[in-house]
Amino acid sequence: MKIMHCPLNGPRNISEFAPGGEVTRMPEPSLTSDEAWADYIWMHNNHAGVVTEWWCHVPTSYWFIAERNTITDEIIRTYPASQLYTERMNFEQNAENK
Amino acid sequence: MPWGLLKYGFSKKYPARQDIPPNKELKNSYDVIIIGGGGHGAAIAYHLARYHGITNVAVLDKGYIGGGNTARNTAVIRSNYITPESVDFYKESVELYKQLSNELGYNMLYSQRGQLTLAHSDASMRTFRLRAEVNKQCGVRSEMVDREQIRELVPCLNLDKNARYPIIGGLWHKDGGTARHDSVAWGYAMRASQLGVEFHQRTEVTDIKQSNGRVTGVVTNRGTVNCKDVVQAVAGMSTIVAKMAGIQLPIRTFPLQAMVTQPLKPFVDPLVSSAALHCYISQTARGEIVIGGGSDPYELYSTRSSLDLKEGLIGHLLEMFPFLSEVKLLRQWTGMTDMTPDYSPIMGETPLQNYWIDGGWGTWGFKATPIAGKRMAETVARGRAPDQIRPFSLSRFRTYHLSNEAGATAASH
Ligand SMILES: Cc1cc2nc3c(=O)[nH]c(=O)nc-3n(C[C@H](O)[C@H](O)[C@H](O)COP(=O)(O)OP(=O)(O)OC[C@H]3O[C@@H](n4cnc5c(N)ncnc54)[C@H](O)[C@@H]3O)c2cc1C
């Protein structure tokens, strides 16, 4: 079994984790065209090499960040999301609701 | 063997048959370059040469012909999808498969013996009913069957009501079957090369040249080649090749694992599939049990296998056929699948005028090889995707017109 290091729970079998996709920045919905929003939802970098992704330790519902290599299947490092996101993300209220 | 026969082997009168001529030098330019020499690339080339008179075509493959997913799939061919556009499309592919041995003069070992998909929940029964009705409407043979009919179709199936996931019904698809995957790639490639198409193996495309919204040529490890049109048909590498042309795709690449047992006496005639158990099997003409198809849970560009996934797959197999527990595995392998968000392919136009895509075939594209060849060749020859494949255009994502086949595709092939 492959082992992943959870920043909260330590080394665990990879079957305890669920991938949450690449770390991307959500565009501000009220300022984004339908096309750009479609791209944000559907398009993927699908990069061959080192990627930065969201992962979740399912039994504890703990979300964190992992860097892994999609060619060699190596997990390079894992760390709490707070290292990337130092402040709360705020989005303008959707223009239509204003 | 009588020694007398040997002389024929050395005689010039009986030269060894060469299905596909070895690499020549690449020409400076071609009318059409097809990137990827899997079943799809070979079928597109064949249709261009045979039906559209376009023979100045080069198929470039970084490995060998049919060595990608075409060599790795479990050969399930069926048309019991859920959206009318898919049913219509795959139905025509089944029709083409039926006559493919004649079309190519090459034995496809096509065998239409029906596919049984099992339901273990009321939710599955509901989608099966919908699929059966949509299928019938489109002229595809699908019907609901109960436990008694299932017992008749596959007497050795575990129908125990105390099983972890008891079987409550099924979808019986008479048009389901299999074909020999290598024959498909080789048959198309052989006939295409006889019509003048060049196949260049170990020729990797590393960049795509363009100017003013048009492609002008491709860069390979054997030099740069100019062309009027380019088609990409590279399965798991779709994103990487499209990026060379500056095109972004809604595709993610996941490994898909399969395996095969030692040969056994024939005991199961139809193909048997359970989406809930993520497992399907078929018995080959040689008696081996082909077992598919476990998708890895996260993206990778790798054909490595993993014990966890194989163990999980075998566990599910044994719930259906417990008596297989002592059988030995003969081979196991993995391919890289190009998964789309709606489990439908991406075919036809791209933002570049003369660059065409045939990808997003994920875990289900072998069955579409003949129809993709036919429709993509039409697309290139006419400069426009025909109506049948318009629902599968890349532009559907921009307009949120997805063609959702998740229920009919995930792990039932
Ligand atoms: C385990 C497994 C089981 C499957 N089971 C089924 C099934 O039962 N039924 C079904 O319908 N489908 C199934 N599939 C899916 C099916 O195999 C594929 O969708 C189909 O074979 C794709 O064919 P292709 O010709 O497009 O791709 P491939 O056969 O993969 O050919 C693509 C070719 O492109 C070449 N290439 C890549 N990059 C480059 C480059 N830069 N330059 C030049 N060449 C390049 C590769 O070398 C390769 O030969 C399965 C897949 C797998 C992995």
Side-chain angles (χ1 to χ4, degrees):
Chain A
M1 185 73 74
K2 199 175 177 64
I3 301 293
M4 190 171 221
H5 284 261
C6 173
L8 185 67
N9 302 285
R12 295 287 171 139
N13 286 341
I14 191 126
S15 60
E16 291 186 15
F17 297 89
E22 221 187 322
V23 174
T24 51
R25 200 157 271 264
M26 185 172 98
E28 162 61 55
S30 60
L31 302 175
T32 308
S33 68
D34 284 357
E35 286 79 22
W37 188 253
D39 286 355
Y40 165 65
I41 295 178
W42 305 121
M43 295 298 156
H44 295 286
N45 277 326
N46 197 23
H47 179 61
V50 177
V51 293
T52 307
E53 292 171 324
W54 285 102
W55 279 74
C56 179
H57 181 249
V58 178
T60 55
S61 287
Y62 175 72
W63 284 93
F64 59 95
I65 312 279
E67 284 172 17
R68 74 184 176 90
N69 188 320
T70 60
I71 301 173
T72 59
D73 195 13
E74 278 165 314
I75 298 158
I76 296 159
R77 67 190 188 109
T78 55
Y79 50 88
S82 55
Q83 282 188 25
L84 272 191
Y85 295 91
T86 47
E87 56 194 75
R88 194 184 158 77
M89 305 268 294
N90 279 316
F91 289 102
E92 285 280 306
Q93 236 196 349
N94 192 319
E96 287 158 32
N97 299 337
K98 267 184 192 163
Chain B
M1 184 186 74
W3 289 107
L5 272 182
L6 205 57
K7 72 171 189 241
Y8 293 103
F10 291 113
S11 156
K12 287 222 164 55
K13 260 173 76 187
Y14 302 96
R17 194 180 82 181
Q18 220 168 32
D19 287 346
I20 299 164
N23 279 7
K24 309 184 232 178
E25 285 299 305
L26 281 169
K27 291 199 281 192
N28 285 335
S29 90
Y30 295 89
D31 288 344
V32 182
I33 285 180
I34 299 172
I35 311 173
H40 282 244
I44 298 166
Y46 169 78
H47 276 271
L48 279 173
R50 172 82 203 275
Y51 295 104
H52 301 280
I54 302 173
T55 54
N56 186 17
V57 177
V59 179
L60 313 180
D61 198 292
K62 67 174 182 177
Y64 58 96
I65 305 288
N69 287 356
T70 300
R72 298 158 198 274
N73 73 82
T74 47
V76 176
I77 298 166
R78 63 180 179 91
S79 53
N80 56 353
Y81 281 68
I82 202 164
T83 62
E85 60 264 28
S86 293
V87 179
D88 176 64
F89 176 78
Y90 292 105
K91 176 189 159 199
E92 192 174 341
S93 210
V94 170
E95 294 303 320
L96 293 173
Y97 260 118
K98 274 194 207 163
Q99 24 155 330
L100 200 55
S101 297
N102 284 335
E103 165 95 26
L104 299 174
Y106 202 80
N107 192 351
M108 294 295 147
L109 298 179
Y110 178 64
S111 141
Q112 193 176 64
R113 50 197 195 276
Q115 187 206 33
L116 174 68
T117 312
L118 304 169
H120 309 258
S121 69
D122 290 339
S124 298
M125 291 294 274
R126 273 196 297 276
T127 26
F128 283 9
R129 257 179 227 121
L130 178 60
R131 277 166 73 182
E133 291 313 316
V134 174
N135 288 183
K136 280 182 212 160
Q137 198 71 26
C138 301
V140 162
R141 293 183 294 171
S142 292
E143 55 183 291
M144 297 292 294
V145 286
D146 61 20
R147 286 169 51 89
E148 213 33 62
Q149 289 164 300
I150 291 175
R151 199 188 307 280
E152 280 166 26
L153 286 167
V154 188
C156 54
L157 187 64
N158 178 15
L159 280 161
D160 190 345
K161 284 193 169 144
N162 297 319
R164 182 144 65 121
Y165 302 109
I167 294 164
I168 58 179
L171 184 65
W172 173 232
H173 175 46
K174 269 197 179 146
D175 298 323
T178 58
R180 177 80 200 146
H181 47 80
D182 296 324
S183 299
V184 173
W186 279 88
Y188 277 122
M190 182 173 88
R191 295 305 173 206
S193 56
Q194 284 167 356
L195 294 166
V197 172
E198 291 180 15
F199 282 83
H200 291 276
Q201 312 193 55
R202 301 178 79 174
T203 307
E204 178 169 5
V205 173
T206 53
D207 201 6
I208 292 167
K209 299 249 168 246
Q210 46 177 298
S211 76
N212 301 328
R214 291 183 66 86
V215 176
T216 56
V218 303
V219 182
T220 77
N221 57 337
R222 296 170 58 212
T224 301
V225 200
N226 298 324
C227 59
K228 293 190 192 137
D229 286 276
V230 176
V231 185
Q232 76 158 70
V234 293
M237 305 303 277
S238 289
T239 303
I240 295 185
V241 173
K243 263 185 207 164
M244 296 176 194
I247 297 165
Q248 209 187 13
L249 297 179
I251 284 179
R252 294 187 293 158
T253 298
F254 289 88
L256 180 69
Q257 309 193 21
M259 55 196 150
V260 69
T261 69
Q262 65 187 131
L264 306 169
K265 278 188 183 169
F267 69 89
V268 51
D269 190 39
L271 291 67
V272 183
S273 166
S274 164
L277 294 175
H278 292 288
C279 182
Y280 60 91
I281 66 146
S282 67
Q283 190 166 22
T284 68
R286 278 195 297 250
E288 300 157 351
I289 309 297
V290 178
I291 307 159
S295 273
D296 269 74
Y298 54 89
E299 295 110 299
L300 274 184
Y301 282 92
S302 165
T303 53
R304 67 102 178 90
S305 289
S306 65
L307 184 61
D308 324 352
L309 213 137
K310 297 279 166 15
E311 267 181 347
L313 205 51
I314 291 169
H316 290 146
L317 169 76
L318 296 183
E319 290 194 27
M320 292 197 273
F321 300 101
F323 60 90
L324 287 177
S325 62
E326 298 296 318
V327 170
K328 288 192 173 57
L329 285 181
L330 204 61
R331 291 187 303 280
Q332 54 84 25
W333 65 91
T334 302
M336 287 187 278
T337 57
D338 39 338
M339 302 297 289
T340 53
D342 57 358
Y343 292 72
S344 287
I346 299 174
M347 300 179 81
E349 282 101 354
T350 70
L352 288 175
Q353 270 177 42
N354 54 345
Y355 191 86
W356 312 97
I357 184 164
D358 175 40
W361 286 110
T363 61
W364 58 87
F366 173 70
K367 68 178 69 61
T369 308
I371 188 69
K374 178 175 170 179
R375 295 303 180 200
M376 286 306 298
E378 269 175 40
T379 303
V380 177
R382 297 179 187 159
R384 183 179 191 276
D387 288 347
Q388 192 190 39
I389 61 169
R390 298 208 81 79
F392 309 132
S393 71
L394 174 57
S395 61
R396 73 177 182 272
F397 296 96
R398 275 279 174 95
T399 53
Y400 302 86
H401 282 120
L402 274 63
S403 184
N404 188 0
E405 283 294 343
T409 305
S412 32
H413 297 285

